[in-house]
Structures are given as structure tokens and as C-alpha cells.
Amino acid sequence: MVQSFYESVLENIDNTAKRMKLDAGAHRIIKQPERELTVSIPIETDSGEIKVFTGYRVQHSSVRGPCKGGIRYHPAANLDEVKALATLMSLKCAVTNVPYGGAKGAIKCDPTHLSKKEIQRLTRRYAAMILPIIGPRADIPAPDVNTNPETMGWIMDAVSMYKGATVLDIVTGKPLELGGSLGRNEATGRGVMLNTLEILRKHNMDPKNATIAIQGFGNVGSIAADLLMQKGCKIVAVSDYSTGLYCKDGLDIPDIIANISSKDGNRLLNTYPKKPNYDLITNKQLLELDVDVLIPAALENQIHKDNADNIHAKIIVEGANGPVTKNANEVLTEKDICVVPGILANSGGVIVSYFEWVQGIQSFFWDIDEVNANLEKIILKSFDEIWRLSKKERITMREAAFCLAIKRISRAIELRGIFP
Ligand code: NAD
């Protein structure tokens, strides 16, 4: 049986605690989310029927600052998954030294079976249901799987209607016209690109000769593919839940992005017109390709103990949250496959969310060069700290990242003390 995502996260925390001889009290605190909210969300469908969905918001830790984390819409969403994602958010903010704790939210729904109006009603009612615990100084949501700037605009509007005034800093990842930040939409993919170039450099591999396969062609995967191609890398394969495309000479990513069509807002690779030199491949085949870099950028638990032995990539850069289970990670380490952990590799989104929040509070907006330069500075500094710790302690980059993050969180717990 595939290890559950939350079990993997907790086991990684336990092992880190042991390695760093973490204080037992701090260990107990870090393993438990501060607050878990489950809500029921009734909406009227377009046909007039009442349907009730389940939603969640979990705040893992506010010890280093307000909680921060995305909201996903997915049929498989559940409380344990949201707890795992909220925990990873705390670690991500700590490892990049962004002054936030971690949170996550989800609605268990299949957005491909809902109209845009139904999704809007669902979003607004969900915002109302979690309103008692979110806020610009308490918990700031952002987009994740199947949510986007438009969704954030609806949440911002719903909260503003309750408050009687426009509340720009209640969510990040908003449309530019509603107080969003330049560069936020591309930030996670840009961070994945920066981490990939950096890890190639550490392995003395020239990006111009590097072959890359990317699973997931949504916000993170498609933007990382595009930016890495601009750096000269050869993107030989991409996939989403509909299909995968492979070309040994490299895919034309801008052409794919421009020519996949939108069905109910879902831009799927199986709508891309057939090309003679492109082969269709499955997600299983993509993950097992012999490439320099594999970037899983879809969902968690994609590389597990049953397929870890078949992974042939030299390097894995985790675009998604938790795409490699703890058991699979052990196999990859034995095979000497270097993994750049998600809490570093996909941190670009929360870093630019932080910039958006700062800009919203100040009502003073930066240009794109300033956003990208500050993003690069934070990513490269965090990468360097993790890389040096991993070399010094002879541990993996994931172990080093968890150590660094847990050290910062436990220090904040120590400094604040326990209330009352
Ligand atoms: P998205 O909804 O924009 O895209 C998800 C992609 O994954 C789609 O192309 C979808 O078709 C594909 N997919 C879904 N199930 C799949 C499957 N079983 N096999 C192959 N492909 C599948 O979501 P996103 O925002 O790009 O998020 C992707 C991952 O990155 C998630 O793990 C998310 O938590 C993580 N992440 C996102 C952000 C962000 O800013 N959006 C930030 C940090 C981490």
C-alpha cells in the first residue's frame, strides 16, 4: 500500500527531530496543527438543486507569523491531505525565512463537473464559512491546484462585502487589477527554474545540454517548462491528467501552451494538434524516462515504493508538494538520485505572495524586475544554506531543509514560550 502523504510528512519530521535532538516539547507542538476547521458548503446548482460540499482550512503554525497557504479544489481532497500540506507550508516559510506560518485549505469537489457560476458560488460560500479564522494578520489564502487569480478575486470580494470595505491583503495570488503582484502567477514556476539551474550547476551539468521531463502542465509545470526552455534546456516530455507528449529533440513549449484549448477553463494536453515527431506517452512512462532532471509538478505521492526503482532521472526537482513518499525517498537516496525538496523547489509562490501582501499593506506596487530580483535573492540564499548544510552533515537536501526549517520554528517556540 502507498504510504499516506501525511504519514510521510510526519515521519520526515520524526527523523529530523531525532537527528537534531529536538526538544521533546517542541517536537510534539510541531507535529500537531494549531487549528483544523471542517465546513459544509451548500450551493444552489444551475438547475436549482441544492448540493452540499465539504471544505477544510487547517492552520498548522502561527509561531513565526500569520498562517499562509493555498486553497485547492479536488475530488480527492481530505482533512489528512490538508494537514500534510499545511505542515509543509510552515516548513517552507521557515526554510526560506519568510515571516509566515503554514496553512492550507481545500474543497472536496470536481471542478470539471461544475459551471463557472457554480464554482463562484462555492468559492464565496467557502470564504464565508472560513471567515472566522482567516484575516490579513491571521491567515492569508492563495491559489493551489484548480484555483487561480480569479478564484482569489472572488474570495477578496466576499470578505470585503462582509467587512464593508475593500480588504486587499486577505488573499494573495489576486488578479493584477485587484491588488495582485506582478510576477506572482509565474513565481512558483520561476522558483522551480532557478532551483533546477542551481542544482545542475552543482552537478557540473550544462543547462544547454540538460534533458528534462515535467509531470503536470498547470500553473507550476507549464511555466517551469517555458522558463527552462528559455534557458536552453531541452524539455523532452510533459504530461497532465489527460495524456503526455514526448520528443527526444525537445518539445516546443510556447507552441504547446498557445495551442492547447480550454474546456471549462481546463487547458489539457490531449487537445494539442497531432505532430509527426511527437509521441503520446503515459504518466508512468514520463516518470520513468532516462533524463537528467525529472520535475513532478502535479500532485503528491507520484513516486512511491512501487515505482521508485524504475526512476532513471539523475536529479528530481519537486515542483509539486509531496510528490515523493518517504519510502520512495529512501530508494532514491540509495540510487544516488539527488532530490531538491518541494519546501525549497516550489517556494517561489509563497515568496512572491509575501511580496504581494507587503505591497498590499503599503498600497505601493513594485515593478517586475524588483519582484524577480528579490525572488531570486531569497531562493538562491535558501538553496545555498541547504546545500552547504547537506554537504557539511553528509545528509540529503531534504534532510537539510527539514533541519533548517524545524530549527527556526523550534527557536520561535522557545522565544515565545507557552501561553498562558
Ligand atoms: P494546477 O491545477 O494549475 O495544475 C495541476 C496539473 O497537474 C494539471 O496539469 C493537471 O492536469 C495535472 N494533474 C493532475 N492530476 C494528475 C495526474 N494524476 N497525473 C498527471 N498530471 C496530473 O496546479 P498547480 O498550481 O500547478 O499545482 C501543482 C502542484 O504544485 C501541487 O502539488 C501544488 O500544491 C504545488 N504548488 C503550487 C503552487 C502555486 O503557486 N500554484 C505553489 C507551490 C506548490
Side-chain angles (χ1 to χ4, degrees):
M1 211 178 84
V2 174
Q3 191 179 23
S4 97
F5 181 24
Y6 194 36
E7 279 165 8
S8 281
V9 172
L10 293 181
E11 217 182 307
N12 273 321
I13 291 178
D14 288 343
N15 290 345
T16 309
K18 210 157 136 193
R19 175 172 300 106
M20 60 191 278
K21 300 189 175 56
L22 180 68
D23 169 74
H27 185 189
R28 269 177 230 127
I29 292 174
I30 291 171
K31 280 187 76 174
Q32 292 287 339
E34 282 175 11
R35 203 174 270 125
E36 300 166 22
L37 177 65
T38 300
V39 294
S40 69
I41 315 162
I43 62 155
E44 191 175 332
T45 63
D46 293 345
S47 62
E49 192 192 345
I50 302 290
K51 278 196 178 164
V52 183
F53 295 83
T54 302
Y56 310 95
R57 185 74 187 169
V58 172
Q59 296 169 346
H60 171 261
S61 170
S62 60
V63 71
R64 296 184 64 260
C67 297
K68 186 89 189 81
I71 292 171
R72 72 168 51 174
Y73 293 172
H74 199 274
N78 60 74
L79 186 58
D80 259 14
E81 177 187 87
V82 181
K83 282 159 74 172
L85 290 163
T87 309
L88 287 179
M89 280 306 296
S90 294
L91 300 176
K92 197 181 298 184
C93 294
V95 89
T96 49
N97 231 341
V98 166
Y100 287 137
K104 206 80 184 189
I107 301 179
K108 188 176 176 58
C109 67
D110 184 348
T112 60
H113 292 152
L114 295 168
S115 72
K116 193 167 163 177
K117 283 192 170 159
E118 288 168 337
I119 294 175
Q120 185 176 161
R121 286 198 282 276
L122 188 63
T123 302
R124 288 177 179 279
R125 181 66 186 240
Y126 171 70
M129 297 304 287
I130 64 168
L131 187 58
I133 66 165
I134 62 170
R137 293 286 189 275
D139 179 0
I140 309 125
D144 192 70
V145 173
N146 290 324
T147 56
N148 54 34
E150 190 175 38
T151 329
M152 296 305 113
W154 294 331
I155 295 179
M156 195 273 270
D157 183 66
V159 172
S160 299
M161 289 302 111
Y162 277 100
K163 299 287 179 192
T166 297
V167 192
L168 281 188
D169 40 4
I170 181 70
V171 281
T172 58
K174 297 180 293 294
L176 281 181
E177 301 83 345
L178 295 178
S181 173
L182 288 167
R184 172 59 186 90
N185 198 41
E186 303 79 28
T188 309
R190 179 170 290 276
V192 169
M193 176 273 284
L194 291 167
N195 275 287
T196 305
L197 295 187
E198 215 44 32
I199 195 69
L200 285 169
R201 212 166 285 142
K202 295 290 185 204
H203 285 80
N204 295 318
M205 291 161 78
D206 181 358
K208 299 260 184 306
N209 298 322
T211 54
I212 299 184
I214 303 182
Q215 185 202 33
F217 206 65
N219 174 276
V220 182
S222 68
I223 290 168
D226 194 30
L227 293 174
L228 282 162
M229 191 178 160
Q230 286 175 31
K231 298 289 174 189
C233 301
K234 204 188 279 182
I235 315 300
V236 294
V238 295
S239 69
D240 63 13
Y241 79 77
S242 72
T243 191
L245 299 173
Y246 172 81
C247 175
K248 73 173 178 13
D249 301 320
L251 301 162
D252 182 346
I253 300 297
D255 189 66
I256 297 175
I257 292 173
N259 288 296
I260 50 178
S261 52
S262 181
K263 184 181 151 273
D264 299 336
N266 249 311
R267 294 163 47 75
L268 294 176
L269 288 169
N270 66 0
T271 61
Y272 186 63
K274 246 184 160 29
K275 269 200 169 175
N277 54 340
Y278 286 15
D279 294 323
L280 294 182
I281 57 168
T282 63
N283 268 288
K284 182 177 183 309
Q285 287 171 314
L286 179 138
L287 293 174
E288 298 176 3
L289 284 172
D290 189 357
V291 284
D292 294 319
V293 184
L294 171 64
I295 303 180
L299 290 174
E300 54 275 357
N301 286 355
Q302 296 302 299
I303 302 171
H304 42 79
K305 74 173 180 14
D306 298 331
N307 66 1
D309 250 335
N310 305 333
I311 302 296
H312 293 102
K314 297 180 187 66
I315 294 167
I316 295 178
V317 178
E318 293 185 337
N321 284 309
V324 177
T325 67
K326 170 82 180 42
N327 293 339
N329 205 51
E330 283 157 13
V331 179
L332 301 179
T333 306
E334 263 169 42
K335 285 167 61 115
D336 210 18
I337 297 175
C338 174
V339 181
V340 183
I343 58 170
L344 169 67
N346 67 40
S347 62
V350 75
I351 295 169
V352 178
S353 273
Y354 164 49
F355 300 162
E356 179 177 331
W357 181 71
V358 168
Q359 293 170 77
I361 289 170
Q362 300 183 339
S363 287
F364 182 74
F365 291 85
W366 311 350
D367 64 30
I368 185 69
D369 291 342
E370 190 169 357
V371 172
N372 287 345
N374 281 319
L375 170 65
E376 185 164 341
K377 200 158 77 185
I378 294 181
I379 295 252
L380 296 189
K381 184 169 185 286
S382 309
F383 185 102
D384 185 57
E385 284 176 331
I386 292 168
W387 179 259
R388 279 194 287 118
L389 184 63
S390 79
K391 291 294 144 197
K392 183 169 159 244
E393 301 285 331
R394 295 171 186 272
I395 53 180
T396 64
M397 286 186 79
R398 189 190 311 281
E399 288 164 341
F402 268 64
C403 267
L404 206 59
I406 291 178
K407 202 167 138 195
R408 288 184 180 145
I409 296 171
S410 60
R411 177 69 180 142
I413 292 171
E414 187 189 335
L415 286 169
R416 286 180 66 154
I418 304 295
F419 178 85

